[in-house]
């Protein structure tokens, strides 16, 4: 398998969407309006990523860390969709890599009827130079970017809204779905929303209830989570705790009605505005808590995948970092696999592509390569075994579905996914135990 390649399908074997015809795994990514299906797709970029991330090289991001066939997935798929396209820049970044002036202004004043408290909170992120290392670490502009993307979707008057994002961009997709449901008119409120979330990581600080619960308008949620992150206090991985939002009533086959939370005196004292707590009373069944009796939810899929936070978005370096000299042909199949999934789900949800899938290998071949040549993935997460003499399993990733400020309200990822299939290489510790309610799929 050559790393620097750009292969296009020359036959109808897989189809232009790159669907998984040889595997039960389904597939979706970015922002476009399809005249055929009247589905619009909005893509939210990750922290410090521009809307041309992976397409151009700038001083702080070399495009050569990305696989040429997939690029940075949330951006590349936009380019490949049929019709008009639109993406949303990442936290702490401007729209374009070459942008030094004439900064783009966010669309926040409608058609959604956002409350004054929200508009006040995001006022400093609406226009002007947004490139900031401080903001990239803090992530306070997430609601501004989510409202911008939600307004774009609402203004389209589409019959279906598809949202995709990576990192904090994936979190913005979840928040945007809430804004559409709470601040939209009757048509927007009842428009079905589909979400493809690649590594939704909010960062440190408060996790709003908006992040840990899917609103009633979400019909499908697909989450992809990287296995080879860890909680080692000597690395920065502990700040990459991923969120797993709770499925709504529709997905559980129960009532889809919810009660929105009104700002209380306690919220006011803690300076929590009404928009940030509106989902606090709507938290429903925890997908990560043990439960072997409740039926599985529908339209709700969780995937575990080898690699790191950036790998599943298109980064091919052997350590998941940003030196293009470390690109690896053995890491590339993860990027190709998630790219194919993104195209497949997006197609299934109504978006059309104007170009064929740029990856020719089928899903089974990609998965076989990942688990046959897994050395780089092993060392990304601490080695081929994840046992440690230190307490609290420092080489095991933590994920959470619990809102609030407490960072220890989390689960060991290896405990909630269940036993990995014996034919697939997913390093675990000897302390691994149990399983969460929702069945995970291993890529």
């Amino acid at each position: 398998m050559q790393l620097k390649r750009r292969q296009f399908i020359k036959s109808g074997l897989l189809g232009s969407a790159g669907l998984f015809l040889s595997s039960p795994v389904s597939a979706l990514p970015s922002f476009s309006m399809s005249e055929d299906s009247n589905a619009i797709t909005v893509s939210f970029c990750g922290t410090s990523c521009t809307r041309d991330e992976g397409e151009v090289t700038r001083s702080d991001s070399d495009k050569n860390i990305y696989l040429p066939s997939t690029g940075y997935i949330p951006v590349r798929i936009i380019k490949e969709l049929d019709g008009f396209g639109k993406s949303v820049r990442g936290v702490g970044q401007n729209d374009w890599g070459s942008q030094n002036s004439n900064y783009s202004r966010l669309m926040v004043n409608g058609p959604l009827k956002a409350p004054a408290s929200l508009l006040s909170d995001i006022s400093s992120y609406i226009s002007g130079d947004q490139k900031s290392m401080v903001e990239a670490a803090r992530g306070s502009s997430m609601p501004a970017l989510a409202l911008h993307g939600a307004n774009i979707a609402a203004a389209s008057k589409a019959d279906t809204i598809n949202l995709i994002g990576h990192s904090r961009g994936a979190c913005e997709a979840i928040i945007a779905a809430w804004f559409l449901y709470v601040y939209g008119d009757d048509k927007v409120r009842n428009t079905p929303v589909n979400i493809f979330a690649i590594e939704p990581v909010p960062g440190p600080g408060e996790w709003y209830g908006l992040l840990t619960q899917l609103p009633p308008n979400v019909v499908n949620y697909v989450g992809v989570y990287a296995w080879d992150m860890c909680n080692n206090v000597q690395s920065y991985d502990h700040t990459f705790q991923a969120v797993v939002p709770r499925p709504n009533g529709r997905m559980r086959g129960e009532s889809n009605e919810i009660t929105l939370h009104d700002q209380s005196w306690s919220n006011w004292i803690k300076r929590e505005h009404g928009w940030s707590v509106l989902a606090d009373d709507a938290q429903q069944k925890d997908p990560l808590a043990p439960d072997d009796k409740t039926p599985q939810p529908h339209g709700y899929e969780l995937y575990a995948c080898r690699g790191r936070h950036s790998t599943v978005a298109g980064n091919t370096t052997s350590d998941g970092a940003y030196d293009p000299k470390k690109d690896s042909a053995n890491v590339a199949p993860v990027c190709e696999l998630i790219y194919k999934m993104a195209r497949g789900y997006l197609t299934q949800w109504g978006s059309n592509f104007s170009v064929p899938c740029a990856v020719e290998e089928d899903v089974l071949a990609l998965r076989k390569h990942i688990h046959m040549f897994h050395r780089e993935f092993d060392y990304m997460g601490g080695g081929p075994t994840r046992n440690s003499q230190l307490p609290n399993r420092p080489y095991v990733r933590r994920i959470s579905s619990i809102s609030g400020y407490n960072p220890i309200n989390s689960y060991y990822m290896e405990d909630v996914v269940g036993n990995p299939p014996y034919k697939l290489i997913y390093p675990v510790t000897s302390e691994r135990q149990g399983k969460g309610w929702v069945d995970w799929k291993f890529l």
Side-chain angles (χ1 to χ4, degrees):
M1 176 182 292
Q2 296 179 355
L3 178 62
K4 300 301 182 183
R5 70 184 189 281
R6 188 174 181 80
Q7 296 177 332
F8 290 92
I9 296 174
K10 297 179 176 61
S11 71
L13 179 63
L14 295 178
S16 63
L19 288 169
F20 302 156
L21 301 186
S22 58
S23 168
V25 183
S26 303
L28 176 149
S30 210
F31 170 95
S32 177
M33 181 76 168
S34 166
E35 292 182 1
D36 293 337
S37 62
N38 196 23
I40 192 169
T41 310
V42 181
S43 172
F44 298 87
C45 297
T47 299
S48 297
C49 291
T50 58
R51 291 170 59 193
D52 52 6
E53 179 76 18
E55 304 299 314
V56 300
T57 292
R58 59 181 195 275
S59 60
D60 52 355
S61 179
D62 192 319
K63 71 176 184 179
N64 292 313
I65 65 173
Y66 298 104
L67 190 65
S69 57
T70 70
Y72 176 60
I73 294 172
V75 168
R76 175 59 59 82
I77 303 268
I78 295 175
K79 295 171 62 68
E80 296 181 349
L81 285 169
D82 189 18
F84 78 87
K86 188 77 171 180
S87 56
V88 178
R89 61 174 171 79
V91 162
Q93 188 55 272
N94 293 315
D95 281 63
W96 309 107
S98 61
Q99 193 168 39
N100 296 313
S101 60
N102 298 320
Y103 303 106
S104 302
R105 182 179 179 85
L106 298 184
M107 181 179 177
V108 298
N109 294 313
L112 300 183
K113 296 180 180 179
S117 63
L118 173 54
L119 296 176
S120 174
D121 283 355
I122 67 175
S123 59
S124 60
Y125 307 113
I126 295 174
S127 62
D129 188 356
Q130 295 297 321
K131 188 172 183 178
S132 166
M133 291 297 295
V134 173
E135 172 52 24
R138 187 173 52 188
S140 300
S141 59
M142 278 201 300
L145 299 168
L147 181 60
H148 172 62
N151 271 318
I152 292 171
S156 73
K157 302 185 184 302
D159 293 331
T160 301
I161 296 171
N162 297 331
L163 307 177
I164 178 176
H166 167 237
S167 190
R168 282 194 175 117
C171 297
E172 292 160 18
I174 299 170
I175 297 174
W178 273 104
F179 288 168
L180 288 162
Y181 179 76
V182 177
Y183 304 137
D185 59 23
D186 286 344
K187 182 185 185 306
V188 170
R189 182 185 178 92
N190 291 292
T191 300
V193 176
N194 303 300
I195 299 176
F196 189 93
I198 305 173
E199 273 284 288
V201 171
E206 181 187 8
W207 283 25
Y208 305 130
L210 296 173
L211 292 169
T212 56
Q213 175 64 51
L214 295 173
N217 57 342
V218 176
V219 177
N220 290 289
Y221 176 83
V222 175
V224 177
Y225 297 84
W227 188 260
D228 299 299
M229 304 293 288
C230 64
N231 198 47
N232 187 350
V233 295
Q234 297 180 345
S235 75
Y236 72 107
D237 281 16
H238 65 279
T239 64
F240 282 76
Q241 185 170 288
V243 64
V244 181
R246 302 172 182 222
N248 58 34
R250 181 205 310 270
M251 296 169 171
R252 303 192 316 275
E254 301 175 10
S255 172
N256 207 26
E257 298 297 320
I258 62 168
T259 299
L260 296 177
H261 180 79
D262 293 326
Q263 185 184 35
S264 65
W265 280 106
S266 175
N267 298 138
W268 184 82
I269 291 171
K270 291 187 291 186
R271 298 185 178 182
E272 297 172 336
H273 290 295
W275 68 267
S276 68
V277 298
L278 59 85
D280 285 8
D281 292 340
Q283 303 296 298
Q284 299 178 27
K285 186 171 178 59
D286 188 345
L288 305 183
D291 183 348
D292 59 1
K293 294 181 172 56
T294 304
Q296 291 297 301
H298 297 283
Y300 184 86
E301 299 178 83
L302 302 177
Y303 290 94
C305 184
R306 296 304 305 267
R308 289 180 60 79
H309 180 72
S310 62
T311 311
V312 291
N315 185 332
T316 62
T317 60
S318 59
D319 56 2
Y322 307 102
D323 183 355
K325 295 179 181 178
K326 295 183 177 181
D327 62 357
S328 168
N330 289 331
V331 173
V334 165
C335 310
E336 295 172 311
L337 179 57
I338 305 306
Y339 163 83
K340 288 174 76 74
M341 286 181 64
R343 285 183 60 113
Y345 274 112
L346 187 53
T347 300
Q348 177 180 318
W349 296 337
S351 296
N352 295 321
F353 287 89
S354 60
V355 298
C357 180
V359 175
E360 187 174 60
E361 285 80 2
D362 65 28
V363 168
L364 295 181
L366 293 173
R367 294 174 73 189
K368 182 178 179 180
H369 191 114
I370 290 168
H371 294 285
M372 182 176 294
F373 303 100
H374 54 85
R375 181 176 180 275
E376 282 92 338
F377 302 124
D378 292 346
Y379 285 98
M380 283 180 181
T385 64
R386 300 294 157 90
N387 291 320
S388 174
Q389 295 181 342
L390 297 174
N392 301 319
R393 293 187 251 181
Y395 298 109
V396 177
R397 187 177 198 181
R398 294 194 184 191
I399 57 180
S400 183
S401 50
I402 304 170
S403 62
Y405 290 95
N406 192 344
I408 68 172
N409 281 339
S410 62
Y411 299 86
Y412 291 109
M413 186 173 178
E414 68 175 8
D415 285 350
V416 301
V417 300
N419 285 315
Y422 75 94
K423 290 184 177 181
L424 303 182
I425 309 300
Y426 279 88
V428 298
T429 70
S430 58
E431 299 174 74
R432 200 213 76 74
Q433 60 181 341
K435 177 189 172 299
W437 163 43
V438 172
D439 294 338
W440 286 64
K441 299 175 183 177
F442 294 83
L443 295 174

